[in-house]
Each structure stands twice: as structure tokens, then as C-alpha cells.
Amino acid sequence: MLGGQIDFLFDPGIAIQYVKTGKLRMLAVASLRRSPLVPDVPTLDELGLKGFDADAVFGLYAPAGTPQAVIRRVNAEVNRALESPAVRSRIEILGNVPEPLTPVAFGEKGVADFKRFGTVIKERGIRAD
């Protein structure tokens, strides 16, 4: 985009630094709520694409059968790290918002996303060739 080779980008991670310096203009965010990183930028839902939500969630996964004590400990340590200004800053530089979750909340989010994107895939007949 900066070199004039493409006109559109749908991932703020690599461009957020240029948005913050004014070299690029962000038109919208793809989550249902505005980003605290760019609070003046509307959501696609606000702009008329009702219900549009392509928010991404990143997390850690463990093999089935991992003891709950281990899962709780890893979760506590990750959430503690996410409270660190240094870690938060590195995540925010990529255009993401750190949001510590419990293992249950993370699992529920994964199930909801699976259903949501599964519906989109079925409705639109998307398939991998």
C-alpha cells in the first residue's frame, strides 16, 4: 500500500504502525466492537455490514487429557504475562488487544467461532480444493 502496489489491506497487524503515524487510513475494524487502539475507527457493523465479525482469538492449546492443574497454571501464567506493560505493548503493536480469559471462556469462544464460521462456510458453499 505504501508503495502503491496494492489498494486494500484487511489485516491491521502489519499496517497499524502506519495508521498511527498517519501514513495509512484505517477505514473500519472487523470486530463487533471498536478497538481501543483506534477508538475513532468504526466497525464494519456500524458501517452497514450488520453482524460482520471477523475478530480473531489467539491462545494456547494442550493435548486432550492434560491435567486441569496444569491447564490452570499455564492459564494463570499467561494471563499474568498479558498484564505486563511490555507484553501488552508488543501485542498491541501488531494491532491486537490482549484479553486474558479463563480456560472455560477460551473454550466457549472457540466453540462459538467454530459454529459461526461453520455456518458461513456452509451458507456460501466454501470448500478447499
Side-chain angles (χ1 to χ4, degrees):
M1 287 182 68
L2 292 171
Q5 297 170 339
I6 60 173
D7 298 319
F8 177 83
L9 178 67
F10 196 76
D11 179 2
I14 59 175
I16 195 77
Q17 63 183 320
Y18 302 109
V19 170
K20 290 192 175 264
T21 61
K23 291 183 179 180
L24 292 176
R25 180 173 160 229
M26 185 178 288
L27 302 176
V29 295
S31 60
L32 286 175
R33 61 181 186 216
R34 289 187 181 208
S35 170
L37 304 175
V38 285
D40 294 334
V41 176
T43 67
L44 286 170
D45 180 80
E46 290 175 305
L47 294 176
L49 291 173
K50 293 300 177 194
F52 190 96
D53 182 10
D55 200 11
V57 176
F58 299 92
L60 300 177
Y61 296 84
T66 300
Q68 286 300 307
V70 172
I71 291 172
R72 284 191 299 274
R73 172 72 190 270
V74 169
N75 179 254
E77 295 299 329
V78 168
N79 285 345
R80 187 164 57 91
L82 291 175
E83 296 301 327
S84 157
V87 171
R88 290 186 75 83
S89 154
R90 293 299 302 160
I91 292 170
E92 290 171 351
I93 284 170
L94 299 173
N96 297 303
V97 179
E99 186 177 339
L101 296 172
T102 65
V104 170
F106 181 66
E108 289 170 349
K109 176 71 173 147
V111 168
D113 284 351
F114 180 83
K115 288 179 182 175
R116 178 168 53 103
F117 289 116
T119 299
V120 170
I121 290 167
K122 286 177 189 167
E123 285 176 352
R124 301 206 173 42
I126 298 170
R127 40 176 235 177
D129 290 333

